[in-house]
Amino acid sequence: MGYWFLLFLLLAYLPLILAQEIASATIVIDGGRAVAETDDNFVCATIDWWPHDKCNYNQCPWGYSSAINLNLSHPLLAKAVQAFTHLRIRIGGSLQDQVLYGVPSLKTPCHPFWKKKDGLFGFSSGCLDLDRWDALNDFFQRTGVIVTFGLNALYGRKKSKRSAWVGAWDSTNAHDFIKYTISKGYKINSWEFGNELSGSGVGASVDVVQYGKDLIKLKGIINQLYQKSHSKVSILAPGGFYDQNWYTKLLQVTGSGVVNALTHHIYNLGAGNDPNLVSKIMDPNYLSKIQDTFSSLRETIQKFGPWASAWVSESGGAYNSGGHLISDTFVNSFWYLDQLGLASTSNTKVYCRQTLVGGNYGLLNPNTFVPNPDYYSALLWERLMGKRVLSISSNASPFLRSYIHCSKARAGVTLMLINLSKQTSFILKVQNTANQNLHIADAMIRDEDSLIRSLKKTVSWIGSKASDGRLHREEYHLSPRDGYIQSPTMLLNGRRLEVSDEGDILSLEPVIVNVNSPIYISPMSIAFIVFPNFDAPACEY
């Protein structure tokens, strides 16, 4: 099958190849050590609070996709979530700090959000009633979701000058909501405190010392309410844009044992109506700039809070609902998968995509729930890329981005390649430095046929596990329909990805390629390459 696939690639891209460049390169993988590690459930998506009349740039792309009105009975929604082993979902967003919880002790009516000119982000406060919370949890339990819930951290405070809010957090409403949640047996994996209140904030901000004191209060509430529960829950904070001084001070104020993960948000592509969105996505130098944020947060945690981990709890690429015909098309997967790669190499444990559904950047279409291209990118990552991250180097052009992980729930490794170049195809050779430290008994080598012996000596990425005869690799090549990178349709190995007539997510099948053949990746495409027999001691448990 590998021969026919290579022939298909050659014939399909022959007109382009004749007018393009072909570059050879070597990728070197160190299978002997892991450089970082993610959580088992690294891939995450958000459900926001925005109502249907949230609009930007003369567009209103949210539909009925909020935590309050999302159609939880839609069959495509359930099947899309269930296609993941356990999808992590974070409920939160800009209106999070205006959400009240409709517990009996709430003294005000439980009403939805409405437009309010002088309200935060142009909306009034809103309320999550308990019937809706029950329905959400029923959906989460049926579909195997791991839940992170973002709490209102402005409740009880008063607005001061500009965007600063002062005073202590009133925990009574959150306390009773958490107590109700526990009484119903709902499994919440983590509670996140506040949304984008760190540093100068977005719309609102809270002084870091006061914020830290309130987190200590929340920790006390969690300890008290969960003391008879077998559930282990985490506290996340601050769910804002990374500010080194603010995050450092937060760790110092709270001390060890309070915050389990420092969460931050990323919208590094700029506004959703930026005419340069596509060029930013296709620029490797621009994509790499965010690495400074990942590295700085990692260093801050190592120095001031080694008990905590790093999460991206919200990232949509372009802010203000994303870019129309960009965030929901193939081109966005270059940004999205590169983000997953960069975040994982910096020891980020979880990466939450804004959104599961809603806005232009939803993994699912907000009206039909049909998957957008990034949904399939997320699903392939979740199924193929394990939590251990290996070291990789390459002599290829910067336009070829490469990431390597131990494979998910199986032996071997999975290589992800992102070719941003418009004109250059790459033919790649892969080497494994780990074999420099491996020794194969001479007697075992003498008993093998000359092909296997030759491969083990000269092609290091086969390794000692190749003697069972499985001399193949698995390839998943992602490309846009008709070569148009802003196409809403993604192809896998030349086949259109779509749901079945029954609404099922079709299987994502690889092509099987002889491991001794070169790796070929065409311009403006993405590939996952699985090496089942790669010698990687770092991947052995």
Side-chain angles (χ1 to χ4, degrees), residues 300-379:
T300 297
I301 290 173
Q302 289 173 341
K303 186 173 181 180
F304 299 101
W307 56 84
S309 60
W311 285 32
V312 174
S313 62
E314 184 180 315
S315 182
Y319 59 80
N320 284 344
S321 306
H324 182 49
L325 300 181
I326 297 174
S327 300
D328 51 358
T329 68
F330 180 87
V331 69
N332 206 62
S333 279
F334 291 119
W335 167 82
Y336 179 40
L337 286 174
D338 191 66
Q339 280 278 302
L340 296 183
L342 286 173
S344 63
T345 59
S346 294
N347 221 39
T348 301
K349 301 305 181 185
V350 172
Y351 191 104
C352 296
R353 167 62 181 265
Q354 175 82 342
T355 60
L356 173 64
V357 55
N360 293 309
Y361 39 35
L363 296 178
L364 306 176
N365 182 286
N367 299 312
T368 65
F369 295 98
V370 170
N372 287 322
D374 280 359
Y375 170 85
Y376 294 108
S377 295
L379 189 58

Side-chain angles (χ1 to χ4, degrees), residues 133-205:
W133 184 228
D134 293 340
L136 283 165
N137 279 279
D138 176 69
F139 175 81
F140 296 150
Q141 291 176 1
R142 285 189 291 107
T143 55
V145 165
I146 300 171
V147 182
T148 291
F149 188 92
L151 294 167
N152 178 346
L154 285 184
Y155 192 60
R157 306 188 204 273
K158 302 296 182 182
K159 185 176 181 181
S160 180
K161 56 185 179 181
R162 297 182 182 177
S163 64
W165 287 61
V166 297
W169 173 57
D170 183 342
S171 62
T172 54
N173 192 228
H175 174 282
D176 291 353
F177 177 64
I178 296 171
K179 183 178 180 180
Y180 174 84
T181 299
I182 296 171
S183 72
K184 298 290 287 188
Y186 299 149
K187 297 186 182 302
I188 305 301
N189 175 266
S190 46
W191 298 93
E192 188 176 28
F193 188 60
N195 184 82
E196 298 180 353
L197 302 175
S198 57
S200 58
V202 177
S205 65

Side-chain angles (χ1 to χ4, degrees), residues 421-432:
S421 175
K422 297 178 181 179
Q423 296 185 336
T424 302
S425 303
F426 291 92
I427 296 178
L428 304 172
K429 174 185 177 182
V430 178
Q431 295 180 347
N432 184 358

Side-chain angles (χ1 to χ4, degrees), residues 28 178 211 251 308 315 361 423 454 498:
V28 180
I178 296 171
Y211 194 96
L251 290 170
S315 182
Y361 39 35
Q423 296 185 336
S454 175
E498 56 189 345

Side-chain angles (χ1 to χ4, degrees), residues 250-524:
L250 179 65
L251 290 170
Q252 293 172 331
V253 171
T254 55
S256 63
V258 175
V259 180
N260 301 104
L262 285 184
T263 53
H264 68 117
H265 294 177
I266 295 174
Y267 286 91
N268 60 319
L269 295 178
N273 65 344
D274 186 341
N276 298 312
L277 280 182
V278 172
S279 61
K280 287 179 178 179
I281 292 172
M282 303 305 290
D283 181 351
N285 294 322
Y286 190 90
L287 293 180
S288 294
K289 289 180 181 179
I290 196 64
Q291 184 64 60
D292 291 339
T293 298
F294 288 126
S295 299
S296 181
L297 178 56
R298 184 176 189 176
E299 292 171 4
T300 297
I301 290 173
Q302 289 173 341
K303 186 173 181 180
F304 299 101
W307 56 84
S309 60
W311 285 32
V312 174
S313 62
E314 184 180 315
S315 182
Y319 59 80
N320 284 344
S321 306
H324 182 49
L325 300 181
I326 297 174
S327 300
D328 51 358
T329 68
F330 180 87
V331 69
N332 206 62
S333 279
F334 291 119
W335 167 82
Y336 179 40
L337 286 174
D338 191 66
Q339 280 278 302
L340 296 183
L342 286 173
S344 63
T345 59
S346 294
N347 221 39
T348 301
K349 301 305 181 185
V350 172
Y351 191 104
C352 296
R353 167 62 181 265
Q354 175 82 342
T355 60
L356 173 64
V357 55
N360 293 309
Y361 39 35
L363 296 178
L364 306 176
N365 182 286
N367 299 312
T368 65
F369 295 98
V370 170
N372 287 322
D374 280 359
Y375 170 85
Y376 294 108
S377 295
L379 189 58
L380 278 171
W381 178 288
E382 194 269 346
R383 292 182 178 181
L384 301 177
M385 304 289 274
K387 67 180 185 179
R388 292 188 180 176
V389 186
L390 305 178
S391 175
I392 188 170
S393 61
S394 170
N395 63 355
S397 156
F399 285 85
L400 183 69
R401 319 274 284 183
S402 55
Y403 302 93
I404 186 77
H405 285 226
C406 299
S407 292
K408 184 77 170 280
R410 61 186 294 190
V413 300
T414 300
L415 171 67
M416 184 179 71
L417 300 168
I418 302 172
N419 187 358
L420 300 171
S421 175
K422 297 178 181 179
Q423 296 185 336
T424 302
S425 303
F426 291 92
I427 296 178
L428 304 172
K429 174 185 177 182
V430 178
Q431 295 180 347
N432 184 358
T433 61
N435 281 69
Q436 297 173 2
N437 301 316
L438 296 179
H439 302 281
I440 304 171
D442 291 340
M444 292 176 63
I445 293 181
R446 284 196 298 270
D447 290 340
E448 295 170 340
D449 62 61
S450 60
L451 172 61
I452 299 297
R453 184 166 64 251
S454 175
L455 285 172
K456 283 190 175 181
K457 287 185 175 181
T458 62
V459 188
S460 63
W461 38 270
I462 297 296
S464 60
K465 297 180 182 178
S467 56
D468 63 2
R470 294 183 295 152
L471 301 181
H472 70 269
R473 65 176 183 262
E474 301 165 15
E475 299 194 356
Y476 301 77
H477 289 261
L478 302 175
S479 57
R481 187 178 187 180
D482 300 325
Y484 177 54
I485 60 173
Q486 288 181 247
S487 170
T489 301
M490 175 179 274
L491 307 180
L492 172 61
N493 297 325
R495 180 173 68 93
R496 177 177 180 171
L497 290 173
E498 56 189 345
V499 296
S500 70
D501 293 339
E502 294 74 32
D504 295 315
I505 305 298
L506 298 179
S507 60
L508 306 178
E509 297 295 333
V511 291
I512 307 302
V513 180
N514 188 299
V515 78
N516 205 24
S517 62
I519 297 173
Y520 175 85
I521 180 166
S522 59
M524 297 185 295

